């Protein structure tokens, strides 16, 4: 375990610390709910039932486990757990696969710039993005603003 005087970067590299931080990040449904409420304007265009998922890399590799889902229901964006049974059967339009420590890094910024940290994790390879529906469906279901907020300008300059 890292000493109390170790720099934060060394503490984050300690596997036991990563495991504890990752568990706290995955289990904090109220924290994720608050984030979604603060950024409701990004999610308001989503169609009812529109969803993105976040899954740990180990779960994605195993093809089974639980997935954190942000889903549009009843006029608001909700956070919930769903079973993950592989890419073909996960029921989301977009899936983020998080390397160890990546979701904890986003979670650590829940109150100030979590989506900016998510964007950084995508750029640095801490999170991998899988688009599981056609681009036209992403547009029809209202995901464009959210994806562009993460630096994923999938429409290009010409529309």
């Amino acid at each position: 375990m890292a000493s109390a005087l170790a720099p934060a970067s060394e503490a984050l590299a300690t596997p036991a610390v990563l495991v504890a931080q990752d568990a706290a990040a995955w289990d904090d449904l109220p924290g994720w709910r608050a984030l979604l409420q603060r950024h409701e304007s990004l999610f308001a265009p989503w169609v009812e039932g529109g969803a993105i998922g976040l899954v740990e890399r180990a779960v994605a590799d195993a093809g089974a486990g639980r997935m954190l889902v942000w889903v549009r229901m009843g006029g608001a964006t909700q956070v919930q757990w769903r079973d993950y049974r592989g890419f073909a059967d996960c029921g989301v339009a977009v899936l983020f696969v998080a390397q160890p420590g990546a979701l904890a890094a986003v979670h650590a910024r829940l109150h100030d710039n979590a989506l900016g940290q998510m964007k950084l994790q995508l750029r640095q390879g801490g999170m991998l993005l899988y688009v599981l529906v056609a681009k036209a469906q992403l547009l029809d279901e209202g995901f464009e603003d959210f994806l562009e907020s993460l630096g994923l300008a999938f429409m290009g300059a010409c529309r």
Side-chain angles (χ1 to χ4, degrees):
M1 188 68 115
S3 75
L5 300 176
S9 60
E10 287 180 29
L12 289 178
T14 306
V17 172
L18 280 176
V19 169
Q21 289 176 336
D22 280 346
W26 287 104
D27 292 336
D28 185 14
L29 295 185
W32 295 113
R33 192 171 298 115
L35 172 73
L36 297 177
Q37 289 171 347
R38 276 193 308 280
H39 295 283
E40 183 60 28
S41 64
L42 291 175
F43 308 110
W46 291 13
V47 296
E48 186 75 10
I52 63 113
L54 297 106
V55 68
E56 293 174 279
R57 175 64 187 257
V59 170
D61 289 347
R66 67 181 190 165
M67 172 177 57
L68 189 64
V69 176
W70 299 351
V71 60
R72 191 77 180 162
M73 292 178 13
T77 310
Q78 307 292 325
V79 61
Q80 60 184 228
W81 288 111
R82 289 189 188 167
D83 289 335
Y84 176 80
R85 294 180 296 262
F87 288 97
D89 190 28
C90 62
V92 297
V94 177
L95 183 67
F96 296 90
V97 176
Q99 301 287 3
L103 197 70
V106 174
H107 184 262
R109 303 294 305 269
L110 274 185
H111 301 293
D112 64 355
N113 192 15
L115 295 180
Q117 180 63 31
M118 194 172 186
K119 181 178 180 177
L120 182 63
Q121 289 298 320
L122 286 164
R123 282 193 204 158
Q124 293 178 340
M127 283 190 173
L128 306 175
L129 170 77
Y130 294 89
V131 177
L132 303 176
V133 299
K135 182 171 35 174
Q137 185 176 343
L138 286 175
L139 289 173
D140 290 345
E141 294 184 2
F143 289 101
E144 183 176 7
D145 290 344
F146 170 68
L147 293 174
E148 285 187 355
S149 76
L150 297 176
L152 305 167
F154 65 94
M155 288 302 295
C158 300
R159 293 176 191 234

